[in-house]
Amino acid sequence: MSIELRHFRCFLAIADTLSITRAAERLHLTQPAVSRTLRQLEQELGLRLVDRTTHHLALTPDGLSFRDQAAIAVTAFDRALGQAPHTAWPLRLGHAWSAAGTDTTALLRRWHEEHPATPLELLRIDDRTAGLARGDVDAALLRGEVRAPGLITDQLTTEPRVAGLPADDPLAHRTALSLTELTDRTIALNTVSGTTTLDLWPAAARPASTITIGNTDDWLAAITGGRAVGVTTSATADMHPHPSMAYVPLTDAPPVPVVIAWRDGPGHPRIPDLVRLAHEVIGRTAGGDARRAGSGTSTGTGTSTGTGTD
């Protein structure tokens, strides 16, 4: 037996739903057929992808790793079939939050002027790599340290950190704050696509209370609703002004690197043009550094480190 695309689709349905029953419903197959297809894939790969008990199903470490590769393969196949002859091949640029900040419009317009035959599609995807690791996009604008294997990152600039506060908060009218002044507050942490963690604070002065949210919209709602305060970068302040929100610079928080990332392997032929334009528009005053994420192997000069937030 050889592995076919149906094996990948079946495994991805299981990975998404964590249920043989729901995967079968999604694929319009019987449960035995889904179980059989999964078993065939595992036998052919020589890997156990799914741990299954009577009441529980979870991906194994091999399953988690294979999920992203399977998603890339299926996405590439579907995209190739959907690409009609003589039509433009869009370049998909992902971001998890705030895109290129105030440079977003300039980047999109410059691209349209210089590469009118290749549409640049900007997609917000609430994921640490903005869909890049799964193959949903061709490149991504990301903040903070990128550890996903198989990605190359090139630093464009850095952004200063700011505190996000309700506009009527006693600290909202300050010209600057320190992290320790937020220690007694509840901190909103975006654990899906953000990069702020409690490690940002000194070990002896970490906030005791946090709430977990999954995207920038919920982060803003938690703060403007008075449930929490947060830490983000200046790009969020620029892209998400709100009458009930105040952004105050933080004096003792390190800046956050902004990188453009792409997969280490064959990809869209216009990626080098996008990287070059991103440096011209976003990185006008910052040096860049290309490296394989997660490997520490530099393919440029300088360094690309740091943690950031939302």
Side-chain angles (χ1 to χ4, degrees):
M1 189 208 81
S2 60
I3 296 177
E4 301 173 3
L5 196 64
R6 63 184 178 88
H7 293 96
F8 284 21
R9 292 193 191 280
C10 180
F11 169 70
L12 289 174
I14 295 170
D16 286 345
T17 62
L18 294 180
S19 167
I20 296 295
T21 300
R22 290 193 293 273
E25 293 172 351
R26 176 182 295 189
L27 297 169
H28 305 291
L29 297 172
T30 65
Q31 293 182 42
V34 169
S35 296
R36 183 169 58 252
T37 303
L38 173 63
R39 185 167 59 252
Q40 291 171 346
L41 178 62
E42 291 179 321
Q43 290 174 347
E44 192 70 16
L45 292 174
L47 298 172
R48 187 178 183 186
L49 304 176
V50 175
D51 275 331
R52 221 182 333 169
T53 66
T54 304
H55 303 292
H56 178 73
L57 186 150
L59 299 184
T60 65
D62 285 331
L64 289 169
S65 177
F66 183 71
R67 178 183 57 186
D68 290 340
Q69 300 304 314
I72 290 172
V74 171
T75 299
F77 179 83
D78 290 342
R79 189 174 182 186
L81 286 185
Q83 191 66 42
H86 312 300
T87 60
W89 180 2
L91 177 58
R92 302 163 302 171
L93 177 62
H95 71 104
W97 46 280
S98 296
T102 55
D103 292 319
T104 302
T105 298
L107 178 66
L108 296 176
R109 290 188 175 181
R110 281 279 304 276
W111 181 269
H112 179 68
E113 292 169 0
E114 298 178 20
H115 305 281
T118 304
L120 180 61
E121 298 178 353
L122 185 66
L123 304 171
R124 172 182 153 181
I125 299 177
D126 294 318
D127 174 82
R128 186 65 191 93
T129 66
L132 183 60
R134 302 196 308 264
D136 293 339
V137 296
D138 302 296
L141 293 169
L142 305 173
R143 289 171 172 82
E145 185 176 0
V146 181
R147 298 177 180 175
L151 302 184
I152 298 175
T153 64
D154 194 349
Q155 184 169 319
L156 300 171
T157 187
T158 61
E159 294 172 348
R161 281 185 169 96
V162 299
L165 305 162
D168 58 356
D169 190 279
L171 299 178
H173 300 293
R174 293 274 297 276
T175 58
L177 293 170
S178 67
L179 286 168
T180 54
E181 291 181 276
L182 304 178
T183 299
D184 61 348
R185 302 299 189 90
T186 297
I187 307 297
L189 299 178
N190 181 346
T191 58
V192 175
S193 58
T195 52
T196 293
T197 69
L198 294 182
D199 290 336
L200 187 62
W201 279 261
R206 289 177 180 164
S209 176
T210 64
I211 60 172
T212 299
I213 49 88
N215 56 58
T216 300
D217 294 336
D218 292 347
W219 184 86
L220 291 166
I223 295 172
T224 57
R227 298 178 57 213
V229 300
V231 176
T232 186
T233 75
S234 57
T236 305
D238 293 331
M239 298 295 285
H240 300 281
H242 194 288
S244 299
M245 188 82 174
Y247 298 96
V248 181
L250 287 166
T251 58
D252 57 349
V256 177
V258 180
V259 306
I260 186 168
W262 63 96
R263 288 187 297 278
D264 185 12
H268 197 291
R270 289 294 187 184
I271 287 177
D273 296 320
L274 178 61
V275 174
R276 182 167 53 252
L277 184 61
H279 272 288
E280 292 179 12
V281 174
I282 305 169
R284 291 182 298 270
T285 59
D289 163 46
R291 60 167 50 191
R292 284 178 177 81
S295 70
T297 303
S298 173
T299 58
T301 58
T303 59
S304 177
T305 61
T307 58
T309 165
D310 178 47

